Amino acid sequence: MQAKSTCRTWIFTVAISMFEAWSQDAVNKETSFNLGTNVNLTCANKMWADILYIIWEINLKNRNCKISFINDGEGTDSCNDGKSLQKASTGQLYLHIPNISADDVGVYKCES
């Protein structure tokens, strides 16, 4: 008798709200990702040198946290779970979420 093997792929949804302070434009969107993948979220199409600050407020099902960067080198990270702000080779900043899991599902609000 041969045992059956079941493989499931879970897709998680992250709601993203982006706000550019100087333009007063707000964008809301829902995005889905596969369990275990690395996810990169961008806030604005501005380059690192053009950004005065960027703040990601993250509301997860079990807790809230914040990751921020100010162009003078200051920043905060109250998430302490592997999420980080990173800079692409193009100079654009993005929020990196490694190995996305059910614990990462939530609302991600960005202001720059």
Side-chain angles (χ1 to χ4, degrees):
M1 177 176 262
Q2 189 173 6
K4 284 187 177 180
S5 175
T6 303
C7 181
R8 295 183 183 173
T9 301
W10 295 93
I11 298 177
F12 292 97
T13 301
V14 174
I16 305 167
S17 178
M18 295 172 278
F19 178 74
E20 289 188 64
W22 54 81
S23 69
Q24 300 298 315
D25 293 332
V27 176
N28 294 306
K29 64 180 178 178
E30 269 191 36
T31 308
S32 299
F33 303 100
N34 290 324
L35 176 68
T37 60
N38 293 328
V39 173
N40 296 326
L41 304 176
T42 57
C43 182
N45 288 332
K46 307 285 186 226
M47 297 303 129
W48 172 80
D50 299 327
I51 292 178
L52 297 175
Y53 69 92
I54 188 167
I55 302 168
W56 283 93
E57 291 183 13
I58 304 167
N59 301 309
L60 305 171
K61 62 181 176 182
N62 296 322
R63 65 190 178 96
N64 298 328
C65 63
K66 183 186 293 187
I67 298 177
S68 67
F69 168 80
I70 300 173
N71 205 341
D72 66 3
E74 295 289 319
T76 61
D77 179 359
S78 64
C79 295
N80 298 316
D81 61 359
K83 293 177 186 69
S84 62
L85 283 176
Q86 297 186 8
K87 184 171 65 169
S89 60
T90 61
Q92 189 174 26
L93 287 174
Y94 61 91
L95 178 67
H96 177 72
I97 306 169
N99 194 23
I100 197 165
S101 70
D103 292 335
D104 296 311
V105 173
V107 176
Y108 290 70
K109 295 179 185 175
C110 178
E111 181 179 331
S112 68

